[in-house]
Amino acid sequence: MLDTQLLRKDIDTVVERLRARGFEFELDRYQDVEVRRKALQVATQALQNERNTSSRAIGQAKSRGEDASALLKKVGELGDELKRNEQELSALQEELSDLVSGVPNLPHPSVPVGNNENDNEFIRAWGEIPEYDFPVRDHVEIGQNLGAMDFDAAAKITGSRFVVMRGPLAKLHRALIQYMLDVHTTEHAYLETYVPYLVNSDSLFGTGQLPKFAEDQFVTREENWYLIPTAEVPVTNLFRDQILDADDLPIKHVAHTPCFRREAGSYGKDTRGMIRQHQFEKVELVQIVHPDDSYAALEELTGNAETILQRLELPYRVVSLSTGDLGFSSAKTYDLEVWLPSQQRYREISSCSNFEGFQARRMRARFRVAGDRKNTAPVHTLNGSGLAVGRTLVAVMENYQNADGNISIPEVLRPYMGGLEAIETLV
RNA sequence: GGUGAGGUGGCUGAGUCCGGUCGAAAGCGCACGACUCGAAAUCGUGUGAACGCUCUGCGUUCCGUGGGUUCGAAUCCCACCCUCACCGCCA
């Protein structure tokens, strides 16, 4: 949610910056509602004041044993108008908040202006793009040849965009999770956190998936709980309705969870393989920080995710998303893209974002400034994948494939694989 | 699923029977000041949140949520949600 003070003070700049990300703010409607809200709120509060004052006087008169019937009559006459005003005001306020809660965040000035992913800005690249002296296979072929990856079985059990894995490949998948958690907890000082995989609608509103992206979520029929699309939702909402001490910041959490996405509207996209699934594992980094520190934190968090790719010796590049490619809640996002030999291109494997106070305002996550006991201010929230596990597995399979169809196991994962050096065909 | 208890400020916790200076005692925490070479301890003062406006001030709303009664509701009535304890069932 944008800062309502900013909307009132400098709406023109807001409209312009939103336009850069391709969002047309309903200025006329906003101003119309806002003007009416202001007038009505002032009037209503004046009436409430009158009622309160008179009621207090009635109380005092009665306690002195005096006759209060004149006052009673007077206050009684306020009733209808007050009630009507209050109802109308709350309708207007609801309309206003509906309007504002559908508005995306403002891009940070450093974000490249553009229409879509083609306008993303290259930041840096790491690692050598590998060359192979044999025909490169994609992860589907490799996995199926090894007898360790089965999309047909998953389709039978459930439907498309799911996978079944077996044996050492399933173990490698698990090893990636363990490794990522270990690095982030022991080297990057994140607190390992276990959270529910089903959340209520308030949580999804807090991080910005609702109300606009309801069709991307899986929901339970009876309880109206949502399967989390990312651990960002439960972990960040840990701080919903909280007032933190400035001294407690920064707060850094890492959580491994499955993620569930309906992928509505991406029907033709990445239909083959594990790139785009309804269910996938992710290790997520979340930081809650002081507003002054959030851009330094974004660099740190992005670097934390990069560390995993570097240790796995997977070539990748970092891009800064353009205004047109930015997610709804984000002020600035770095995508990490890993090299996939079968596609001869980089594919997103992590998305690291600074939401500034956007999510914090939605979920009323504030901190108290030491010395200034009068005011609280929204914290800044960040998160990033460290990393998307399914896609990391794909990257390892493809980058570490051998001519004979086996997969070498990255050095750092071998301790997690009982010393195994390569995955060979299951018999 | 059954029975019972309960949801009050950053936290703990009174107030609810008997509606009226109760946005709310007390304690903790925090801030400032005094004492001190400095700190701890102690003492003093202050300290809920959100919002509006004609913004050194004035006002409004908020005691789980939503309705109702009333001139007036933390307090009375109704519905719902959640938490805890015990019993039953169960991974």
Side-chain angles (χ1 to χ4, degrees), chain A residues 260 345 369:
Chain A
F260 302 93
R345 65 180 183 115
V369 187

Side-chain angles (χ1 to χ4, degrees), chain A residues 183-244:
Chain A
V183 170
H184 294 312
T185 53
T186 63
E187 298 183 36
H188 301 148
Y190 287 82
L191 182 68
E192 185 167 349
T193 311
Y194 176 85
V195 289
Y197 302 156
L198 288 160
V199 296
N200 57 35
S201 58
D202 285 345
S203 294
L204 278 173
F205 180 85
T207 35
Q209 284 81 9
L210 287 181
K212 278 201 137 178
F213 307 100
E215 69 282 1
D216 294 332
Q217 318 301 331
F218 289 106
V219 202
T220 67
R221 203 192 311 275
E222 299 299 327
E223 299 84 357
N224 210 35
W225 289 337
Y226 294 79
L227 276 83
I228 57 171
T230 159
E232 159 192 358
V233 179
V235 176
T236 313
N237 274 282
L238 248 18
F239 304 95
R240 172 149 54 84
D241 286 313
Q242 294 273 302
I243 300 179
L244 301 160

Side-chain angles (χ1 to χ4, degrees), chain A residues 33 60 67 86 148 204 215 251 257 267 310 344:
Chain A
V33 179
Q60 285 167 349
D67 175 41
E86 281 174 343
L204 278 173
E215 69 282 1
I251 294 169
T257 70
Y267 295 115
Q310 292 174 8
Q344 286 294 295

Side-chain angles (χ1 to χ4, degrees), chain A residues 56 81 88 103 112 169 201 217 242 249-250 281-282 301 310 319 375 396 407:
Chain A
R56 217 169 295 138
E81 188 183 0
E88 201 180 325
V103 176
L169 192 67
S201 58
Q217 318 301 331
Q242 294 273 302
L249 306 177
E281 307 300 303
K282 191 149 62 75
L301 187 149
Q310 292 174 8
V319 299
N375 289 308
V396 168
I407 307 164

